[in-house]
PDB file of all heavy atoms in Angstrom:
ATOM      1  N   ILE P 214      93.362  95.712 192.053  1.00  0.00           N
ATOM      2  CA  ILE P 214      93.673  96.841 191.163  1.00  0.00           C
ATOM      3  C   ILE P 214      94.929  97.537 191.629  1.00  0.00           C
ATOM      4  O   ILE P 214      95.826  97.869 190.833  1.00  0.00           O
ATOM      5  CB  ILE P 214      92.474  97.809 191.098  1.00  0.00           C
ATOM      6  CG1 ILE P 214      91.238  97.118 190.504  1.00  0.00           C
ATOM      7  CG2 ILE P 214      92.860  99.059 190.298  1.00  0.00           C
ATOM      8  CD1 ILE P 214      91.431  96.597 189.076  1.00  0.00           C
ATOM      9  N   ARG P 215      95.068  97.751 192.931  1.00  0.00           N
ATOM     10  CA  ARG P 215      96.276  98.398 193.438  1.00  0.00           C
ATOM     11  C   ARG P 215      97.520  97.565 193.162  1.00  0.00           C
ATOM     12  O   ARG P 215      98.595  98.089 192.885  1.00  0.00           O
ATOM     13  CB  ARG P 215      96.132  98.691 194.945  1.00  0.00           C
ATOM     14  CG  ARG P 215      95.050  99.703 195.273  1.00  0.00           C
ATOM     15  CD  ARG P 215      95.237 100.274 196.681  1.00  0.00           C
ATOM     16  NE  ARG P 215      95.158  99.227 197.712  1.00  0.00           N
ATOM     17  CZ  ARG P 215      94.036  98.825 198.291  1.00  0.00           C
ATOM     18  NH1 ARG P 215      92.872  99.361 197.955  1.00  0.00           N
ATOM     19  NH2 ARG P 215      94.057  97.897 199.237  1.00  0.00           N
ATOM     20  N   ASP P 216      97.355  96.255 193.187  1.00  0.00           N
ATOM     21  CA  ASP P 216      98.494  95.349 192.947  1.00  0.00           C
ATOM     22  C   ASP P 216      99.033  95.441 191.526  1.00  0.00           C
ATOM     23  O   ASP P 216     100.141  94.986 191.241  1.00  0.00           O
ATOM     24  CB  ASP P 216      98.106  93.900 193.258  1.00  0.00           C
ATOM     25  CG  ASP P 216      97.955  93.641 194.753  1.00  0.00           C
ATOM     26  OD1 ASP P 216      98.431  94.471 195.538  1.00  0.00           O
ATOM     27  OD2 ASP P 216      97.376  92.598 195.112  1.00  0.00           O
ATOM     28  N   LEU P 217      98.245  95.994 190.618  1.00  0.00           N
ATOM     29  CA  LEU P 217      98.701  96.151 189.235  1.00  0.00           C
ATOM     30  C   LEU P 217      99.852  97.146 189.130  1.00  0.00           C
ATOM     31  O   LEU P 217     100.646  97.107 188.168  1.00  0.00           O
ATOM     32  CB  LEU P 217      97.564  96.628 188.328  1.00  0.00           C
ATOM     33  CG  LEU P 217      96.411  95.625 188.058  1.00  0.00           C
ATOM     34  CD1 LEU P 217      95.250  96.315 187.391  1.00  0.00           C
ATOM     35  CD2 LEU P 217      96.916  94.462 187.214  1.00  0.00           C
ATOM     36  N   GLY P 218      99.930  98.059 190.074  1.00  0.00           N
ATOM     37  CA  GLY P 218     101.009  99.047 190.086  1.00  0.00           C
ATOM     38  C   GLY P 218     100.816 100.132 189.017  1.00  0.00           C
ATOM     39  O   GLY P 218     101.781 100.770 188.611  1.00  0.00           O
ATOM     40  N   ILE P 219      99.574 100.336 188.593  1.00  0.00           N
ATOM     41  CA  ILE P 219      99.283 101.358 187.581  1.00  0.00           C
ATOM     42  C   ILE P 219      98.784 102.614 188.294  1.00  0.00           C
ATOM     43  O   ILE P 219      97.818 102.539 189.064  1.00  0.00           O
ATOM     44  CB  ILE P 219      98.207 100.872 186.586  1.00  0.00           C
ATOM     45  CG1 ILE P 219      98.669  99.594 185.885  1.00  0.00           C
ATOM     46  CG2 ILE P 219      97.909 101.958 185.557  1.00  0.00           C
ATOM     47  CD1 ILE P 219      97.586  98.962 185.001  1.00  0.00           C
ATOM     48  N   SER P 220      99.405 103.745 188.047  1.00  0.00           N
ATOM     49  CA  SER P 220      98.980 104.984 188.687  1.00  0.00           C
ATOM     50  C   SER P 220      97.546 105.326 188.251  1.00  0.00           C
ATOM     51  O   SER P 220      97.213 105.230 187.062  1.00  0.00           O
ATOM     52  CB  SER P 220      99.904 106.133 188.299  1.00  0.00           C
ATOM     53  OG  SER P 220      99.353 107.396 188.684  1.00  0.00           O
ATOM     54  N   PRO P 221      96.694 105.726 189.185  1.00  0.00           N
ATOM     55  CA  PRO P 221      95.312 106.094 188.807  1.00  0.00           C
ATOM     56  C   PRO P 221      95.242 107.289 187.887  1.00  0.00           C
ATOM     57  O   PRO P 221      94.242 107.487 187.194  1.00  0.00           O
ATOM     58  CB  PRO P 221      94.630 106.378 190.151  1.00  0.00           C
ATOM     59  CG  PRO P 221      95.760 106.593 191.124  1.00  0.00           C
ATOM     60  CD  PRO P 221      96.905 105.799 190.636  1.00  0.00           C
ATOM     61  N   SER P 222      96.301 108.096 187.824  1.00  0.00           N
ATOM     62  CA  SER P 222      96.309 109.265 186.940  1.00  0.00           C
ATOM     63  C   SER P 222      96.844 108.937 185.540  1.00  0.00           C
ATOM     64  O   SER P 222      96.932 109.820 184.691  1.00  0.00           O
ATOM     65  CB  SER P 222      97.168 110.381 187.548  1.00  0.00           C
ATOM     66  OG  SER P 222      98.511 109.951 187.690  1.00  0.00           O
ATOM     67  N   THR P 223      97.164 107.663 185.284  1.00  0.00           N
ATOM     68  CA  THR P 223      97.619 107.249 183.957  1.00  0.00           C
ATOM     69  C   THR P 223      96.525 107.525 182.904  1.00  0.00           C
ATOM     70  O   THR P 223      95.341 107.225 183.134  1.00  0.00           O
ATOM     71  CB  THR P 223      97.967 105.760 183.931  1.00  0.00           C
ATOM     72  OG1 THR P 223      98.982 105.492 184.874  1.00  0.00           O
ATOM     73  CG2 THR P 223      98.413 105.295 182.539  1.00  0.00           C
ATOM     74  N   CYS P 224      96.925 108.081 181.783  1.00  0.00           N
ATOM     75  CA  CYS P 224      95.951 108.387 180.719  1.00  0.00           C
ATOM     76  C   CYS P 224      95.356 107.081 180.175  1.00  0.00           C
ATOM     77  O   CYS P 224      96.071 106.134 179.882  1.00  0.00           O
ATOM     78  CB  CYS P 224      96.644 109.164 179.602  1.00  0.00           C
ATOM     79  SG  CYS P 224      95.513 109.672 178.309  1.00  0.00           S
ATOM     80  N   SER P 225      94.055 107.049 180.033  1.00  0.00           N
ATOM     81  CA  SER P 225      93.370 105.873 179.448  1.00  0.00           C
ATOM     82  C   SER P 225      93.419 105.955 177.933  1.00  0.00           C
ATOM     83  O   SER P 225      93.890 106.931 177.352  1.00  0.00           O
ATOM     84  CB  SER P 225      91.920 105.836 179.946  1.00  0.00           C
ATOM     85  OG  SER P 225      91.252 107.049 179.659  1.00  0.00           O
ATOM     86  N   PHE P 226      92.937 104.918 177.288  1.00  0.00           N
ATOM     87  CA  PHE P 226      92.795 104.911 175.823  1.00  0.00           C
ATOM     88  C   PHE P 226      91.402 104.425 175.478  1.00  0.00           C
ATOM     89  O   PHE P 226      90.701 103.845 176.293  1.00  0.00           O
ATOM     90  CB  PHE P 226      93.868 104.071 175.137  1.00  0.00           C
ATOM     91  CG  PHE P 226      93.893 102.623 175.557  1.00  0.00           C
ATOM     92  CD1 PHE P 226      92.995 101.716 175.010  1.00  0.00           C
ATOM     93  CD2 PHE P 226      94.816 102.167 176.476  1.00  0.00           C
ATOM     94  CE1 PHE P 226      93.001 100.373 175.390  1.00  0.00           C
ATOM     95  CE2 PHE P 226      94.848 100.832 176.858  1.00  0.00           C
ATOM     96  CZ  PHE P 226      93.929  99.931 176.331  1.00  0.00           C
ATOM     97  N   ASN P 227      90.993 104.677 174.250  1.00  0.00           N
ATOM     98  CA  ASN P 227      89.641 104.335 173.810  1.00  0.00           C
ATOM     99  C   ASN P 227      89.710 103.157 172.806  1.00  0.00           C
ATOM    100  O   ASN P 227      90.280 103.321 171.733  1.00  0.00           O
ATOM    101  CB  ASN P 227      88.959 105.528 173.179  1.00  0.00           C
ATOM    102  CG  ASN P 227      87.505 105.264 172.866  1.00  0.00           C
ATOM    103  OD1 ASN P 227      87.174 104.360 172.105  1.00  0.00           O
ATOM    104  ND2 ASN P 227      86.598 106.063 173.437  1.00  0.00           N
ATOM    105  N   PRO P 228      89.123 102.000 173.149  1.00  0.00           N
ATOM    106  CA  PRO P 228      89.198 100.843 172.247  1.00  0.00           C
ATOM    107  C   PRO P 228      88.078 100.789 171.208  1.00  0.00           C
ATOM    108  O   PRO P 228      87.768  99.722 170.690  1.00  0.00           O
ATOM    109  CB  PRO P 228      89.104  99.656 173.214  1.00  0.00           C
ATOM    110  CG  PRO P 228      88.228 100.157 174.310  1.00  0.00           C
ATOM    111  CD  PRO P 228      88.502 101.632 174.441  1.00  0.00           C
ATOM    112  N   GLY P 229      87.479 101.952 170.910  1.00  0.00           N
ATOM    113  CA  GLY P 229      86.451 101.985 169.863  1.00  0.00           C
ATOM    114  C   GLY P 229      87.055 101.976 168.468  1.00  0.00           C
ATOM    115  O   GLY P 229      86.336 101.727 167.475  1.00  0.00           O
ATOM    116  N   VAL P 230      88.346 102.258 168.367  1.00  0.00           N
ATOM    117  CA  VAL P 230      89.068 102.175 167.100  1.00  0.00           C
ATOM    118  C   VAL P 230      90.382 101.431 167.416  1.00  0.00           C
ATOM    119  O   VAL P 230      91.162 101.877 168.252  1.00  0.00           O
ATOM    120  CB  VAL P 230      89.410 103.562 166.519  1.00  0.00           C
ATOM    121  CG1 VAL P 230      90.255 103.454 165.260  1.00  0.00           C
ATOM    122  CG2 VAL P 230      88.105 104.340 166.230  1.00  0.00           C
ATOM    123  N   ILE P 231      90.573 100.297 166.768  1.00  0.00           N
ATOM    124  CA  ILE P 231      91.734  99.446 167.040  1.00  0.00           C
ATOM    125  C   ILE P 231      92.380  99.043 165.733  1.00  0.00           C
ATOM    126  O   ILE P 231      91.683  98.655 164.779  1.00  0.00           O
ATOM    127  CB  ILE P 231      91.339  98.160 167.795  1.00  0.00           C
ATOM    128  CG1 ILE P 231      90.521  98.474 169.057  1.00  0.00           C
ATOM    129  CG2 ILE P 231      92.577  97.355 168.154  1.00  0.00           C
ATOM    130  CD1 ILE P 231      89.947  97.226 169.729  1.00  0.00           C
ATOM    131  N   VAL P 232      93.709  99.154 165.649  1.00  0.00           N
ATOM    132  CA  VAL P 232      94.470  98.507 164.606  1.00  0.00           C
ATOM    133  C   VAL P 232      95.225  97.372 165.279  1.00  0.00           C
ATOM    134  O   VAL P 232      96.030  97.607 166.171  1.00  0.00           O
ATOM    135  CB  VAL P 232      95.447  99.470 163.913  1.00  0.00           C
ATOM    136  CG1 VAL P 232      96.212  98.759 162.808  1.00  0.00           C
ATOM    137  CG2 VAL P 232      94.714 100.691 163.349  1.00  0.00           C
ATOM    138  N   ALA P 233      94.899  96.139 164.895  1.00  0.00           N
ATOM    139  CA  ALA P 233      95.394  94.973 165.644  1.00  0.00           C
ATOM    140  C   ALA P 233      96.304  94.092 164.792  1.00  0.00           C
ATOM    141  O   ALA P 233      96.035  93.853 163.607  1.00  0.00           O
ATOM    142  CB  ALA P 233      94.223  94.163 166.170  1.00  0.00           C
ATOM    143  N   ASN P 234      97.355  93.598 165.432  1.00  0.00           N
ATOM    144  CA  ASN P 234      98.259  92.604 164.846  1.00  0.00           C
ATOM    145  C   ASN P 234      97.833  91.244 165.356  1.00  0.00           C
ATOM    146  O   ASN P 234      98.030  90.902 166.514  1.00  0.00           O
ATOM    147  CB  ASN P 234      99.703  92.916 165.256  1.00  0.00           C
ATOM    148  CG  ASN P 234     100.727  91.937 164.659  1.00  0.00           C
ATOM    149  OD1 ASN P 234     100.453  90.747 164.572  1.00  0.00           O
ATOM    150  ND2 ASN P 234     101.877  92.438 164.298  1.00  0.00           N
TER     151      ASN P 234
END
Side-chain angles (χ1 to χ4, degrees):
I214 297 300
R215 294 198 300 271
D216 287 345
L217 291 169
I219 303 173
S220 168
S222 62
T223 300
C224 184
S225 54
F226 59 80
N227 187 300
V230 176
I231 308 172
V232 181
N234 181 322

